[in-house]
Amino acid sequence: MENSTQESHLRPDNSVTYESPYPLYAMAFSSTPSRILHHGQRIALGSFIEDYNNRVDIVSFDPETLLIKPHPNLSVEHPYPPTKLMFHPNRKSSTSDLLASSGDYLRLWEVRDSSIEPLSVLNNSKTSEFCAPLTSFDWNDIEPKRIGTSSIDTTCTIWDIEKGAVETQLIAHDKEVYDIAWGEARVFASVSADGSVRIFDLRDKEHSTIIYESPQPDTPLLRLAWNKQDLRYMATILMDSNKVVILDIRSPTMPVAELERHRASVNAIAWAPQSYRHICSAGDDTQALIWELPTVAGPNGIDPMSMYSAGSEINQLQWSAAQPDWIAVAFSNKMQLLKV
Amino acid sequence: MANPVQSQEVDPDTLRKHLAVAVRSIQWSYAIFWSLSKTQQGVLQWGNGYYNGDIKTRKTVQAMELKADKIGLQRSVQLRELYEFLLEGEIDQNKRPSAALSPEDLSDAEWYYLVCMSFVFNPGQGLPGRALANNETIWLCNAHYADSKVFSRSLLAKSASIQTVVCFPYLGGVIELGVTELVPEDPNLPQHIKASLLDMSKPVCSGKSSPPHNADDDIDPICVKVDQEVVETLDLENLYSHREEMKIGPEEGIEELHANIPEDFTIGSPDECSNGCEHHCHTEDSLMFEGLNGVGSQVQSWHFMDDDCSNGAHNTINSSDCISGEEKAPISSPKQGSVNHFHVELGSLDLGVDDDLHYKKTLSVILKCSNRLTEIPGLHTIGHKSGFVSWKKGGMGNGYRPRWPQSILKKILVAVPIMHGGRSLGFQKDSGKKHYLEKLENDDNIPKEHENFRENEKFLVLKAMVPSISEIDKASILNDTIKYLKELEARVEELESCMDSADFETRPRRNYLDIVEETSDNYENRKTENAKKCWINKRKASDFDENYETDTEVNRAVLRDSLISDLKVSIKEQEVLIEMKCPYREYILLDIMEAINNLHLDAHTVQSSALDGILMLTLKSKFRGTAIAPARMIKQALQKVAGKC
């Protein structure tokens, strides 16, 4: 259902669409600047097929020519849909890039210009048969050898990917952990089906701080985003809720703001990579909203700054520091890059 | 360096060497010379120091063969350089020599030493302050457990395992020595150190020809910066004492916070004061420390003046605030009156977090990355080139809402992990039963994802409840649950047979079994099914048997209830008195006597009467030997006897 007024707003210079043969969920921007790659910015796309055979494709986006170019040989098979994809946060080399995917295990892939090779499979289970599937992971951008994964077995595992070994594994929550985000080199936060946001410090693994709990007990919190520009703030979304909850880690339990302008539940959130006050959210109401957090909230709540309506529910949102002018959204089979 | 009126001039390099010799001779971890500040009367600040403790990462330019003392001196210099570098806040790695230290190269004790450089003590405050004020030696054992009022760096010391700290006045300043072991008080030690220092310092002082060390130059501007803040420190202290009173339910951790901050604050410098300072741009960076205290409306309001701040600086401070934010919270919350819940949270943090506060402050310098971009003006006004439109109230006309919210997100989080467990979602289509659905809509087109999400959630709950489950695929979860239930039932039965098994207890169990049986229908587990059915049948059979008994069945039921209450066993020393009422049957008295006998009881008085088929018995007995059966056992035995029909 597309609204005609929105459609007319889309012009070739402010949006680029890529249509994939299958529904997409996971998306990731490479950190390698596009100017040093001759094809453009690499974007990894993970399929969402409810079957064993899924794929991860790499496409290139050139912000000058506004073209998305698929690379047929930069495509790999992935068992079941990848729950998250992420590139190495600090890669400066133009020849090879590192991509991580989570699913049954944390897998690392080496992405080159013409090929993508599996590098390693990081598996922590003692027995060979059983693994705890991962719901999400985050790559620490200050310490890029560190990746934190969250799993349905209520634990978070911190990997040292250079050694290929587990740094530590913490039982983070009482129920499945749904998302994890790094704040500092040694501090991360996670959200879980038990409805809490907890912060962990690797220097003090015995203790964690609960900074927020969902108002209805046991309402799962599904996603978490930590503002990298201002580490005081985090955003999270609840299950079946149209609210984006903004938290200040200095004042636990009380959210700083609840952004409630979506007309259906929210699916994804992303903080602006270049501004500490802006956040984008996308939901089932097919809308992507950009919010500006004011210093003082008005009595009626906070209104978004701008919005975009897609053709169908937007499932994924990425706002990368490598391309701060573009927001990537994924809905049904399409991936769209929108100019901010 | 030192106040010329009160003491001699000592070349810092030399002083460091002397400290080095002194601390190495007693094999302690570090030596610090706190000197009097130039501008502020009586205030002690970092003068010089030598670090003699554990080193994590050695960094030298070449593989130079250095003597141990040279290495140590070099290390101390490197630590000082690192501190100054962090203070300046330049993250321009190119300007630093390749062998310069970075924070991750430091061990905990080195960190402690480095952070000490930031401390300043007012007259009579802190260990060095008191040592100077009272002109006495202070020997602090168990420094890491000390109260913050006595030793403000005690938490820091804990993280570095510094257990003993000694301060004594010297040359108009204070020498502080610390070690990671517990050393009992030794009054000779300060004397020894003083003597060694005096011996060395004399020849050097007379001919001070060496050019001032670079450190001197560096120290000066920092001193200047720091001193101006001392005035503020005093004000802050007053403010803090008020705040401490406001606290409800003080916890040591928070007290630490409050105590630490006045001293630590002096590192930062509000922009007003340090105008003349060369490191102007960096002062804004060091404003991060202001975030610590949140004191003063100027600081509070400053946090909100986003637009007025210069490029980058504001962002950097904010990001550094984040870490030190934890400290801000206890201070700002008393203002808002919401102390309680935060204290609770802080309590759960344990002292471990507070340990890191100061640590984090220093880290915050590191973390504010100077390549934060300014706010893009485009975000304020949506240019015509944007893919987004300005938001309008009332929004878009279409209130599009999918039937099943967040379906793909939920699938990713719940269904996909289950998929990995070995069963695909297609499996659910076979299951006819929908026990786990909460809402059942009329039309059959319920998207599988929604019911599956709920179902999968319930499976995971079941898995959490049954301890023996390790797999996550549904068939094995259910199998394990069935096994567990069987085990539990066997156990219940066992327990029941010890007590009197009443009819009414079997009934609820039977229903429960029905449910299990029903679900097991879905999975081709014929054996379990059949077994269950047999079991149920047996139960039914036994019930039937009982039902087919004589018409005294009702009586019997009543009696069974009453039997439990009408059996009294009282034990007094060796005497046992038994009173019971039970349905009479042939030879029951014989059985009772046998049971009593088996329990090593000799019945000496028996009174019994049988009326309407009910036996009333009063029995007095004595324990035969020393073995005494507990009342419970006697009751059990008698109930068994009475129960047998």
Side-chain angles (χ1 to χ4, degrees):
Chain A
M1 276 185 273
E2 291 178 62
N3 191 314
S4 53
T5 56
Q6 178 66 55
E7 218 177 28
S8 61
H9 186 82
L10 274 187
R11 294 196 304 270
D13 61 344
N14 59 19
S15 81
V16 194
T17 310
Y18 170 77
E19 186 141 1
S20 151
Y22 25 73
L24 298 172
Y25 179 71
M27 253 176 9
F29 275 81
S30 168
S31 59
T32 318
S34 52
R35 59 177 193 277
I36 71 174
L37 295 168
H38 42 226
H39 292 300
Q41 178 82 48
R42 284 195 194 109
I43 302 177
L45 303 169
S47 67
F48 185 78
I49 307 169
E50 291 176 47
D51 194 8
Y52 184 78
N53 298 313
N54 275 266
R55 298 202 73 86
V56 173
D57 299 324
I58 312 277
V59 299
S60 292
F61 169 61
D62 190 342
E64 311 292 319
T65 62
L66 297 186
L67 285 176
I68 294 183
K69 188 178 164 194
H71 295 278
N73 43 355
L74 289 184
S75 173
V76 271
E77 278 185 0
H78 192 278
Y80 296 111
T83 53
K84 184 161 175 181
L85 289 171
M86 202 167 169
F87 276 94
H88 189 291
N90 276 335
R91 206 70 163 185
K92 302 295 179 217
S93 142
S94 64
T95 47
S96 83
D97 209 338
L98 217 57
L99 173 68
S101 74
S102 63
D104 46 357
Y105 304 111
L106 181 66
R107 286 160 202 271
L108 291 173
W109 314 81
E110 190 173 359
V111 180
R112 284 194 212 94
D113 268 346
S114 55
S115 67
I116 167 169
E117 306 292 325
L119 204 57
S120 55
V121 175
L122 297 169
N123 173 7
N124 190 27
S125 68
K126 312 286 185 283
T127 62
S128 53
E129 326 133 358
F130 181 62
C131 68
L134 308 174
T135 51
S136 179
F137 70 97
D138 194 17
W139 212 320
N140 193 323
D141 39 356
I142 301 161
E143 273 272 17
K145 66 174 186 182
R146 215 172 252 159
I147 292 187
T149 64
S150 60
S151 165
I152 58 162
D153 67 354
T154 78
T155 65
C156 286
T157 309
I158 312 298
W159 289 91
D160 178 335
I161 56 174
E162 278 169 18
K163 294 186 200 151
V166 173
E167 226 184 86
T168 182
Q169 187 171 20
L170 305 167
I171 296 178
H173 287 265
D174 308 321
K175 290 194 185 171
E176 303 84 15
V177 191
Y178 286 146
D179 205 357
I180 180 174
W182 287 102
E184 273 188 87
R186 272 176 270 207
V187 176
F188 69 88
S190 60
V191 286
S192 152
D194 66 3
S196 65
V197 180
R198 291 185 202 208
I199 295 188
F200 298 83
D201 188 331
L202 291 180
R203 287 168 297 207
D204 184 14
K205 294 173 201 162
E206 306 298 313
H207 304 98
S208 63
T209 321
I210 298 182
I211 56 163
Y212 176 71
E213 268 178 303
S214 48
Q216 257 95 18
D218 281 349
T219 310
L221 295 174
L222 298 180
R223 284 287 171 229
L224 178 71
W226 206 327
N227 189 342
K228 295 281 196 276
Q229 295 295 308
D230 185 345
L231 291 169
R232 284 177 293 181
Y233 296 110
M234 282 196 213
T236 182
I237 57 177
L238 297 99
M239 187 170 89
D240 294 336
S241 163
N242 67 339
K243 283 195 288 202
V244 177
V245 180
I246 310 288
L247 306 166
D248 183 336
I249 64 174
R250 299 168 302 168
S251 27
T253 74
M254 279 296 297
V256 157
E258 284 182 359
L259 309 175
E260 217 175 340
R261 292 286 183 265
H262 275 281
R263 287 152 178 262
S265 41
V266 186
N267 284 329
I269 40 179
W271 287 96
Q274 75 279 46
S275 157
Y276 70 101
R277 265 198 297 165
H278 292 85
I279 183 173
C280 183
S281 60
D284 279 342
D285 56 351
T286 77
Q287 296 200 321
L289 304 174
I290 300 185
W291 311 75
E292 182 177 33
L293 299 179
T295 48
V296 180
N300 297 328
I302 301 171
D303 284 335
M305 206 171 72
S306 54
M307 65 186 193
Y308 169 74
S309 272
S312 58
E313 305 89 73
I314 304 180
N315 295 311
Q316 176 71 261
L317 181 68
Q318 290 288 327
W319 199 347
S320 162
Q323 289 288 350
D325 290 338
W326 296 88
I327 291 183
V329 291
F331 52 96
S332 69
N333 285 23
K334 293 192 196 141
M335 190 268 288
Q336 220 166 46
L337 286 161
L338 302 164
K339 197 141 195 336
V340 174
Chain B
M1 256 183 42
N3 192 325
V5 175
Q6 284 187 0
S7 62
Q8 321 149 16
E9 280 283 327
V10 182
D11 172 33
D13 215 14
T14 324
L15 179 60
R16 190 179 297 121
K17 284 196 189 125
H18 298 162
L19 289 170
V21 171
V23 79
R24 278 206 300 269
S25 66
I26 52 172
Q27 288 185 337
W28 278 34
S29 304
Y30 70 86
I32 296 175
F33 178 71
W34 299 101
S35 61
L36 285 170
S37 109
K38 281 182 183 161
T39 54
Q40 195 62 23
Q41 188 68 19
V43 170
L44 283 171
Q45 72 204 15
W46 174 274
N48 213 327
Y50 180 77
Y51 179 73
N52 193 35
D54 290 329
I55 291 177
K56 189 174 158 194
T57 312
R58 192 170 296 286
K59 270 192 171 167
T60 50
V61 178
Q62 307 137 320
M64 297 192 293
E65 290 275 322
L66 290 174
K67 286 190 285 174
D69 53 347
K70 288 261 162 50
I71 291 176
L73 281 169
Q74 193 197 50
R75 188 70 175 186
S76 304
V77 170
Q78 279 183 325
L79 287 168
R80 181 66 186 170
E81 281 170 5
L82 175 61
Y83 172 74
E84 284 152 25
F85 168 74
L86 288 175
L87 207 57
E88 289 172 15
E90 266 185 28
I91 313 282
D92 192 352
Q93 294 287 342
N94 295 334
K95 288 196 188 157
R96 298 191 76 202
S98 54
L101 287 178
S102 34
E104 52 269 13
D105 297 328
L106 303 187
S107 66
D108 284 337
E110 285 182 302
W111 260 120
Y112 168 83
Y113 177 79
L114 190 119
V115 175
C116 280
M117 294 180 192
S118 67
F119 276 79
V120 162
F121 302 98
N122 288 315
Q125 184 202 36
L127 223 58
R130 286 208 319 278
L132 187 63
N134 305 334
N135 203 22
E136 62 183 17
T137 305
I138 302 184
W139 190 295
L140 182 66
C141 284
N142 281 319
H144 52 323
Y145 293 126
D147 187 12
S148 62
K149 292 195 182 65
V150 169
F151 182 52
S152 50
R153 291 164 283 159
S154 72
L155 278 179
L156 269 171
K158 193 173 170 189
S159 72
S161 322
I162 303 284
Q163 298 197 24
T164 317
V165 175
V166 179
C167 287
F168 57 89
Y170 176 73
L171 284 185
V174 174
I175 287 201
E176 177 182 319
L177 300 158
V179 69
T180 51
E181 294 149 9
L182 198 58
V183 178
E185 180 151 358
D186 173 17
N188 292 329
L189 190 130
Q191 291 304 106
H192 164 80
I193 302 283
K194 278 186 204 168
S196 60
L197 285 170
L198 273 170
D199 281 340
M200 289 183 282
S201 58
K202 274 181 201 159
V204 179
C205 281
S206 54
K208 186 181 166 202
S209 55
S210 53
H213 194 261
N214 279 340
D216 225 356
D217 292 336
D218 288 342
I219 288 173
D220 284 339
I222 290 169
C223 290
V224 167
K225 230 202 289 186
V226 167
D227 295 344
Q228 285 158 343
E229 295 356 292
V230 174
V231 182
E232 309 270 332
T233 315
L234 294 173
D235 292 338
L236 285 173
E237 270 195 51
N238 291 334
L239 206 56
Y240 274 96
S241 55
H242 291 313
R243 285 193 188 282
E244 286 194 35
E245 284 159 18
M246 274 170 68
K247 271 193 335 244
I248 302 159
E251 289 170 34
E252 194 191 1
I254 298 176
E255 276 178 291
E256 283 290 343
L257 267 173
H258 288 273
N260 265 333
I261 284 153
E263 293 174 345
D264 304 342
F265 174 72
T266 55
I267 299 172
S269 44
D271 39 9
E272 294 98 69
C273 292
S274 49
N275 285 331
C277 190
E278 219 175 74
H279 310 279
H280 196 75
C281 52
H282 306 303
T283 59
E284 288 175 334
D285 295 336
S286 57
L287 272 170
M288 63 181 163
F289 292 121
E290 278 197 356
L292 297 178
N293 44 49
V295 158
S297 53
Q298 64 173 42
V299 178
Q300 285 281 31
S301 59
W302 173 81
H303 279 304
F304 297 129
M305 306 183 303
D306 9 39
D307 294 326
D308 301 342
C309 285
S310 59
N311 294 347
H314 179 65
N315 291 339
T316 62
I317 289 134
N318 279 334
S319 61
S320 58
D321 250 348
C322 67
I323 328 298
S324 47
E326 282 163 302
E327 300 158 79
K328 191 165 188 221
I331 295 142
S332 49
S333 14
K335 264 193 179 175
Q336 293 146 20
S338 55
V339 194
N340 288 331
H341 70 256
F342 187 85
H343 278 215
V344 169
E345 291 304 341
L346 200 58
S348 69
L349 290 178
D350 204 50
L351 290 175
V353 174
D354 294 320
D355 252 357
D356 300 331
L357 282 167
H358 202 106
Y359 203 124
K360 279 179 182 162
K361 276 196 319 256
T362 338
L363 274 177
S364 64
V365 190
I366 306 157
L367 289 176
K368 53 166 178 62
C369 188
S370 53
N371 57 5
R372 302 277 190 228
L373 307 170
T374 57
E375 289 192 30
I376 290 192
L379 277 179
H380 290 292
T381 56
I382 300 296
H384 66 282
K385 276 205 90 182
S386 168
F388 286 78
V389 263
S390 291
W391 191 78
K392 291 181 268 296
K393 258 194 174 70
M396 309 299 281
N398 58 344
Y400 177 81
R401 243 174 207 216
R403 195 92 156 279
W404 305 103
Q406 296 172 329
S407 58
I408 294 199
L409 184 55
K410 286 178 191 169
K411 279 195 228 183
I412 280 280
L413 293 175
V414 181
V416 169
I418 299 267
M419 278 191 230
H420 286 292
R423 289 277 181 174
S424 70
L425 281 180
F427 174 77
Q428 263 72 57
K429 291 175 188 149
D430 302 330
S431 126
K433 304 272 177 173
K434 293 180 179 164
H435 294 288
Y436 302 110
L437 269 187
E438 291 176 359
K439 288 185 221 169
L440 201 56
E441 308 258 350
N442 284 334
D443 77 290
D444 294 334
N445 264 355
I446 300 162
K448 294 295 173 210
E449 50 266 16
H450 189 74
E451 65 186 57
N452 289 340
F453 184 81
R454 293 267 177 223
E455 208 171 329
N456 295 342
E457 263 196 334
K458 299 280 164 53
F459 269 101
L460 291 170
V461 169
L462 195 57
K463 177 181 171 254
M465 285 173 58
V466 178
S468 53
I469 288 180
S470 54
E471 313 294 316
I472 56 156
D473 64 298
K474 299 189 183 195
S476 55
I477 289 181
L478 289 169
N479 281 342
D480 288 335
T481 314
I482 292 168
K483 271 190 226 154
Y484 185 61
L485 284 173
K486 277 202 220 162
E487 275 172 43
L488 286 178
E489 278 170 357
R491 258 207 270 166
V492 170
E493 222 201 316
E494 221 183 281
L495 288 168
E496 275 178 8
S497 63
C498 296
M499 300 183 326
D500 185 38
S501 57
D503 269 342
F504 55 82
E505 276 189 285
T506 60
R507 268 178 217 119
R509 277 232 307 270
R510 215 173 338 127
N511 292 339
Y512 187 56
L513 283 170
D514 282 347
I515 293 173
V516 181
E517 188 206 6
E518 206 179 40
T519 53
S520 71
D521 265 340
N522 297 333
Y523 307 100
E524 284 128 74
N525 211 336
R526 302 269 166 221
K527 282 188 197 156
T528 355
E529 241 178 86
N530 288 340
K532 262 206 191 28
K533 282 207 172 109
C534 296
W535 198 9
I536 291 163
N537 290 338
K538 270 192 202 151
R539 285 249 157 230
K540 285 184 183 154
S542 62
D543 281 350
F544 270 19
D545 285 343
E546 288 172 0
N547 287 340
Y548 277 129
E549 284 209 275
T550 61
D551 46 4
T552 58
E553 188 249 323
V554 176
N555 275 347
R556 206 158 274 157
V558 172
L559 279 173
R560 270 181 217 268
D561 295 344
S562 54
L563 177 61
I564 298 163
S565 54
D566 275 9
L567 172 62
K568 281 193 215 133
V569 175
S570 47
I571 301 181
K572 218 193 269 176
E573 288 171 310
Q574 298 283 72
E575 286 276 328
V576 180
L577 173 66
I578 300 171
E579 282 162 352
M580 62 190 271
K581 224 204 259 181
C582 68
Y584 183 81
R585 62 177 167 85
E586 242 185 284
Y587 304 124
I588 186 168
L589 214 46
L590 185 61
D591 290 343
I592 291 174
M593 298 304 288
E594 215 178 287
I596 301 286
N597 204 22
N598 286 338
L599 292 166
H600 301 278
L601 286 165
D602 280 341
H604 55 81
T605 313
V606 181
Q607 240 180 310
S608 72
S609 60
L611 201 64
D612 290 344
I614 302 174
L615 171 73
M616 309 239 272
L617 177 73
T618 311
L619 197 147
K620 290 193 198 148
S621 56
K622 216 185 198 174
F623 279 108
R624 207 178 296 149
T626 48
I628 293 178
R632 184 178 46 89
M633 258 178 82
I634 300 174
K635 274 193 187 166
Q636 274 177 14
L638 289 171
Q639 276 169 351
K640 259 196 193 145
V641 170
K644 281 190 211 153
C645 299

